[in-house]
Amino acid sequence: MLYYMFNKDIDTGANFLEEKFAKKPIVAEANKAVLHAGYHFAETLEEFDITYRIKPHPEMKGRYRNITGNTAAAWGLMAAAEKSRTGTIPGIIPDHTGH
């Protein structure tokens, strides 16, 4: 659905899946089928009056890291611990019950 909403070329996603699951063609085909089904579902849903096209910023070329929310939260907590100079991660309560 996101490929439809953001006007992305679905072949880019399909090619990525083929490369990622090159050693598991059945998994690649299953994922591509879901990708296409989601795209076509969004296309026929008639709920998206507006789609978006986000062009790359010409001055922001370079390599970027793609991280999940969990990783971002963990890095944020580690940075907070380092800035606090206590070496502890705020929000974490040690378990002293022995469980």
Side-chain angles (χ1 to χ4, degrees), residues 92-99:
I92 304 295
I93 301 171
D95 183 9
H96 295 294
T97 63
H99 294 119

Side-chain angles (χ1 to χ4, degrees), residues 79-95:
E82 187 174 309
K83 278 193 153 289
S84 72
R85 298 185 183 181
T86 64
T88 60
I89 298 175
I92 304 295
I93 301 171
D95 183 9

Side-chain angles (χ1 to χ4, degrees), residues 1-8 35 38-39 42 48 51-52:
M1 290 177 69
L2 291 174
Y3 277 87
Y4 177 80
M5 289 174 59
F6 289 99
N7 286 300
K8 293 294 181 184
L35 174 70
Y39 184 89
F48 302 110
T51 59
Y52 304 92

Side-chain angles (χ1 to χ4, degrees), residues 59-74:
E59 296 177 15
M60 299 296 290
K61 294 187 184 215
R63 291 182 55 185
Y64 294 90
R65 181 179 298 257
N66 189 13
I67 62 172
T68 65
N70 290 339
T71 302

